[in-house]
Amino acid sequence: MVGRFVETLELYGRLSDADREAVAALPGAVRRFEAGEDIVSEGDAPSQCRLLLSGLAFRHKTLRDGRRQIMSFHVPGEICDLEGLLLAMDHSVTALSRADVSFIPHAAMEALLDGHPQVAKALWRTELVENAVAREWMVGMGRRSAYARIAHLFCEMYARLRAIGLVEGARCWFPITQTHLSDALGLSVVHTNRVLQALRGEGLLSFRGGMLTVHDWQGLKAAGEFDASYLHLKADPV
Amino acid sequence: MVGRFVETLELYGRLSDADREAVAALPGAVRRFEAGEDIVSEGDAPSQCRLLLSGLAFRHKTLRDGRRQIMSFHVPGEICDLEGLLLAMDHSVTALSRADVSFIPHAAMEALLDGHPQVAKALWRTELVENAVAREWMVGMGRRSAYARIAHLFCEMYARLRAIGLVEGARCWFPITQTHLSDALGLSVVHTNRVLQALRGEGLLSFRGGMLTVHDWQGLKAAGEFDASYLHLKADPV
DNA sequence: CGTGAACTTGAGATTTCTCAAGCGGGGTGG
DNA sequence: CCACCCCGCTTGAGAAATCTCAAGTTCACG
């Protein structure tokens, strides 16, 4: 059970039929997680790769005093502990919504990567893109206003969800609370709430009940100083 | 000419004699960069890996209006455009000090990785650790005060330089200006300057003329909420 | 001795935070 | 079926951290 995995890989590299078949043949036990459950925890040294089949997840570190920083989001088709192949986890990955996750044994993944260099390349590219995203978040947290940061995050998630076909019309399911948003952007909930109202007030987007609607993509991009090139996707959603 | 490269790899994986020899046999033309020169620029699609032999470098994005965010530092022994093997550069890497850089053709690097899986593993681990560092910076920018952030950065660089033998006594050469520091931490130069004075005033460190001296490692760690585990080094500098 | 970059200081302006409280809907036990 | 409760959202208001602007100092270097 590898769900959207092949499609995600093909966003980042060309695969042969044999490659695709090998990926599809990957073994994996599926487990469902409820929102808020840890998919993998800080300190774990995983022996399987956790592939997100459906739902969203986020990586985060939580400090003793409760301050939390979300460091990235995962969408379906992504492996959320790829680094676990080589290192112990230094942070946790938690389900943002209900999520189905396939557990692929490291041995099977290693065999796939050894036998299929194009798959390995594509997979490492996904990892490199994840870093590129992290760097862009640093730019936001270091140098952009709360207003631009929030707009930028919505742009990013909209573009990523669109790339995997999860945007319909101008709407996508993005079940994030304002608390998560704050923790991802390094803001207080109160401030996040106020800025969000400004974004809505300007007619750029709607965001209620976990549903994001982009009313003015150009305007939102401008507000967020968003340029999709760091996502290394084949096509920018105009 | 691969300088400290083998030692750096051995921080992250066990190599055989054959592995070491293969690494040492890597071809590479050396070029010297002066402080401020771009080693690789945004938009480049490199055909060599740039291995830092001596000196320091930093990755950064600079926005049109001049705001700049530094996203990481590189120390000798590190490849500063490893992602260039698979992706075009979406940011620049600039020499922080005078630096010697070896240019290793991608073909040679790929042959090494194909023929020496342990080297490939160690190299990917360096990449994964770089991400771990990026995530820790996000925690800092999102959730730590300027005071803790600055202390944390000094802790990190001290620990990294120590791991490669570039700390003598409690001193190391870290030729960074307060402007760079600000751009790395998302602060204004003025505020950075004031916080730095506090750190000095408390006797935690000295930092002048590009020389960092740590007077009170435990105190500095506490000030920066620093825990070296995210660096995935074998030994914490006590 | 002149120059420029880096550093330092002062002071007022802003952004963002914290504390505190009220609102609203969904789920649940009585 | 209803009351209650909790979580997430919203609002108000004062506080704190950090920024911006402006200017002066220091030091290395030519």
Side-chain angles (χ1 to χ4, degrees):
Chain A
M1 264 306 293
V2 293
R4 297 177 187 275
F5 190 32
V6 175
E7 290 87 326
T8 296
L9 288 174
E10 290 198 297
L11 284 176
Y12 299 105
R14 191 145 296 168
L15 303 186
S16 69
D17 289 343
D19 290 333
R20 271 185 286 268
E21 281 163 29
V23 173
L26 233 27
V30 176
R31 190 190 141 190
R32 166 158 296 185
F33 290 86
E34 297 301 323
E37 266 190 282
D38 269 16
I39 296 173
V40 58
S41 302
E42 182 172 348
D44 289 357
S47 55
Q48 311 92 20
C49 286
R50 287 156 175 82
L51 169 63
L52 196 55
L53 298 174
S54 69
L56 299 178
F58 62 98
R59 296 173 182 256
H60 63 102
K61 288 196 182 189
T62 300
L63 310 179
R64 288 144 235 90
D65 63 3
R67 278 175 299 166
R68 179 172 72 169
Q69 179 66 40
I70 292 178
M71 297 164 303
S72 68
F73 292 103
H74 281 291
V75 301
E78 295 180 353
I79 291 176
C80 57
D81 61 350
L82 187 60
E83 69 267 45
L85 269 176
L86 294 172
L87 292 176
M89 298 298 293
D90 58 20
H91 61 280
S92 303
V93 182
T94 300
L96 180 60
S97 63
R98 175 173 295 181
D100 288 322
V101 175
S102 178
F103 287 69
I104 302 168
H106 277 181
M109 186 61 73
E110 278 162 9
L112 173 70
L113 300 182
D114 286 349
H116 297 269
Q118 289 309 309
V119 176
K121 272 196 180 186
L123 194 60
W124 281 118
R125 264 199 204 101
T126 67
E127 180 70 21
L128 295 175
V129 169
E130 198 176 313
N131 304 338
V133 172
R135 285 190 292 263
E136 192 65 29
W137 281 36
M138 283 197 251
V139 175
M141 290 202 281
R143 292 300 180 211
R144 287 199 253 259
S145 68
Y147 179 83
R149 246 182 284 179
I150 293 181
H152 195 281
L153 180 62
F154 281 119
C155 286
E156 178 180 306
M157 294 310 296
Y158 185 75
R160 288 174 63 191
L161 291 169
R162 194 171 202 279
I164 58 170
L166 293 183
V167 171
E168 287 175 37
R171 309 175 73 216
C172 57
W173 186 62
F174 185 36
I176 193 182
T177 67
Q178 292 184 14
T179 303
H180 289 117
L181 216 41
S182 311
D183 285 340
L185 298 166
L187 299 170
S188 69
V189 183
V190 171
H191 198 55
T192 299
N193 178 274
R194 289 180 170 133
V195 174
L196 215 36
Q197 291 179 49
L199 250 13
R200 283 193 278 239
E202 286 161 22
L204 298 179
L205 56 77
S206 309
F207 177 59
R208 273 185 37 244
M211 187 61 69
L212 168 67
T213 308
V214 174
H215 298 305
D216 177 1
W217 175 242
Q218 292 303 328
L220 190 61
K221 273 174 51 166
E225 306 170 4
F226 181 76
D227 171 351
S229 55
Y230 72 96
L231 291 173
H232 297 266
L233 293 169
K234 280 164 187 158
D236 178 10
V238 182
Chain B
M1 263 307 292
V2 293
R4 297 177 187 273
F5 189 33
V6 175
E7 289 89 325
T8 296
L9 288 175
E10 291 199 296
L11 285 176
Y12 299 103
R14 192 145 295 165
L15 302 186
S16 68
D17 289 344
D19 290 334
R20 272 185 285 270
E21 279 163 29
V23 173
L26 233 27
V30 177
R31 188 189 143 190
R32 164 158 297 185
F33 290 85
E34 297 301 323
E37 264 190 280
D38 269 15
I39 295 172
V40 58
S41 302
E42 183 172 346
D44 288 359
S47 54
Q48 311 94 18
C49 286
R50 287 154 175 82
L51 169 64
L52 196 56
L53 299 174
S54 68
L56 300 178
F58 61 97
R59 293 172 184 257
H60 64 101
K61 288 196 181 187
T62 300
L63 309 179
R64 288 145 234 88
D65 64 3
R67 279 174 299 167
R68 180 173 69 170
Q69 180 66 40
I70 292 177
M71 297 164 302
S72 68
F73 292 104
H74 281 290
V75 302
E78 294 179 354
I79 291 176
C80 57
D81 61 351
L82 187 59
E83 68 267 44
L85 269 176
L86 293 173
L87 292 176
M89 298 298 293
D90 58 20
H91 61 279
S92 302
V93 182
T94 300
L96 181 60
S97 63
R98 174 173 296 180
D100 288 323
V101 175
S102 178
F103 286 69
I104 302 168
H106 277 183
M109 185 61 71
E110 280 161 9
L112 173 70
L113 301 181
D114 286 347
H116 297 268
Q118 290 308 308
V119 175
K121 273 196 179 185
L123 194 60
W124 281 118
R125 264 200 203 99
T126 67
E127 182 70 20
L128 295 175
V129 168
E130 199 175 312
N131 304 338
V133 171
R135 285 191 292 263
E136 191 65 30
W137 281 36
M138 283 197 251
V139 176
M141 289 201 281
R143 292 301 179 210
R144 286 198 253 260
S145 68
Y147 180 83
R149 246 182 283 178
I150 294 181
H152 195 280
L153 180 62
F154 281 120
C155 286
E156 177 180 307
M157 295 308 296
Y158 186 75
R160 289 174 63 192
L161 290 168
R162 194 172 201 277
I164 58 171
L166 292 183
V167 170
E168 288 174 35
R171 307 176 74 215
C172 58
W173 186 64
F174 185 35
I176 194 183
T177 68
Q178 293 185 12
T179 302
H180 289 116
L181 217 40
S182 311
D183 285 341
L185 298 166
L187 299 170
S188 70
V189 182
V190 171
H191 198 57
T192 299
N193 178 275
R194 289 180 169 131
V195 174
L196 214 37
Q197 291 178 49
L199 249 14
R200 282 193 280 241
E202 286 160 26
L204 298 179
L205 56 77
S206 309
F207 177 59
R208 272 184 38 242
M211 188 61 69
L212 168 67
T213 309
V214 175
H215 299 307
D216 176 1
W217 175 240
Q218 292 304 327
L220 190 61
K221 272 173 52 166
E225 305 169 5
F226 181 76
D227 171 351
S229 55
Y230 73 96
L231 291 173
H232 297 264
L233 293 168
K234 281 164 187 157
D236 178 11
V238 182

